[in-house]
């Protein structure tokens, strides 16, 4: 069971790391809110033939919990991405990477406050190691650079994004007992509907960049890889080992994003990136060892 969860979560973080690269490549090819809107249009179209029958059969359960499902789709699928893209217009990628590292910490705190789920000392040490690994990646190997960071509006709203995804992760334990096909389709429909006002705002503001050929290709990747496949795997991973342990894997996203930038964009590979990867994987391994023993 644990091995399956690890494989699912590692694949998820690899796809989300690829999403970071896609975000870099998308500049000038498709505007942010248009990208968010179109990725969920595509995601719904992909999921309709897969999940429509299950959705109809699970509708009585979904109808009882539609507010929860809508809130999960809004927080995890739409608000996080909208705020993430917006934050990057006001702050640096370094700041955003560091702030994303707070997601596992917020998940642990929220689980304790809401469900009284406790963590073991080794899990805390593991979380600390992963945060150090993210900080090392974000600062390009010079942790002293973190002391020079200046907080601004982008950082403030990025913290809201962190809270949104943390609440989504914690809230998955409350999801109705339905099949993953109908759950993903329902979440994606909610995300699509909630993304419409942001898309309309971008049109009214005159900031739309209509996708060209590379823009459409990148949008398809964000829909299929970073939205449909990765979210299914993340939900299943959460089911198997819980949000506290699954959330820790999120700190692999900036690491995988950096490594994929080396492979795809041709950025230079540095020793600190290997050290950061070792720290994050070591932290996850330590926390998992402690968490799996506690679950016995």
């Amino acid at each position: 069971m644990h091995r399956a969860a690890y494989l699912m979560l590692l694949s998820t973080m690899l796809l989300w790391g690829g999403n970071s690269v896609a975000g870099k490549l998308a500049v000038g090819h498709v505007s942010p809110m248009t990208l968010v809107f179109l990725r969920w249009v595509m995601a719904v179209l992909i999921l309709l033939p897969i999940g429509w029958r299950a959705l109809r059969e699970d509708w009585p359960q979904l109808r009882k919990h539609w507010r929860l499902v809508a809130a999960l789709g809004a927080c995890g699928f739409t608000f996080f991405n909208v705020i993430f893209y917006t934050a990057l217009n006001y702050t640096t990628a370094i700041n955003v990477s560091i702030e994303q590292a707070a997601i596992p910490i917020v998940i642990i705190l929220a689980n304790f406050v809401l469900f009284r789920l406790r963590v073991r000392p080794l899990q805390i040490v593991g979380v600390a190691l992963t945060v150090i690994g993210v900080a090392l990646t974000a600062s390009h190997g010079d942790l002293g650079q973190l002391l020079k960071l200046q907080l601004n509006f982008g950082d403030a709203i990025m913290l809201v994004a962190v809270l949104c995804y943390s609440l989504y992760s914690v809230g998955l334990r409350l999801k109705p007992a339905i099949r993953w096909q109908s759950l993903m389709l329902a979440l994606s429909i909610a995300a699509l509907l909630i993304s419409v006002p942001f898309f309309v705002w971008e049109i009214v503001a005159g900031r739309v960049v209509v996708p060209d050929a590379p823009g459409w290709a990148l949008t398809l990747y964000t829909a299929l890889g970073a939205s449909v496949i990765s979210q299914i795997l993340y939900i299943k991973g959460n089911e198997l080992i819980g949000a506290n342990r699954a959330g820790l894997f999120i700190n692999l996203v900036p690491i995988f994003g950096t490594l994929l930038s080396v492979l795809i964009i041709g950025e230079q590979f540095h020793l600190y990136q290997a050290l950061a990867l070792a720290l994050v994987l070591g932290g996850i391994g330590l926390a998992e060892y402690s968490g799996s023993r506690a679950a016995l």
Side-chain angles (χ1 to χ4, degrees), residues 98-117:
I98 296 298
E99 286 147 6
Q100 272 188 283
I103 291 177
I105 299 171
V106 177
I107 289 173
I108 289 172
L109 291 174
N111 266 326
F112 176 74
V113 171
L114 298 174
F115 306 110
R116 289 296 183 265
L117 293 182

Side-chain angles (χ1 to χ4, degrees), residues 121-224:
L122 277 181
Q123 287 179 287
I124 296 174
V125 174
V127 171
L129 286 177
T130 66
V131 171
I132 293 171
V134 172
L136 197 63
T137 299
S139 63
H140 301 283
D142 183 8
L143 293 176
Q145 291 294 320
L146 302 181
L147 299 176
K148 303 176 183 178
L149 296 180
Q150 295 181 345
L151 301 181
N152 54 37
F153 173 71
D155 299 300
I157 61 173
M158 189 59 205
L159 294 178
V160 177
V162 166
L163 182 62
C164 283
Y165 208 83
S166 300
L167 292 176
Y168 164 73
S169 298
V170 172
L172 284 175
R173 69 182 287 132
L174 302 175
K175 69 184 189 303
I178 57 176
R179 284 161 289 188
W180 67 264
Q181 295 95 330
S182 51
L183 177 65
M184 270 301 302
L185 180 54
L187 288 171
S188 298
I189 291 172
L192 172 59
L193 294 175
I194 294 163
S195 71
V196 170
F198 297 101
F199 177 52
V200 171
W201 169 83
E202 195 171 65
I203 294 174
V204 173
R207 299 183 180 182
V208 170
V209 176
V210 177
D212 53 13
W216 281 113
L218 291 166
T219 302
L220 179 60
Y221 170 78
T222 63
L224 181 60

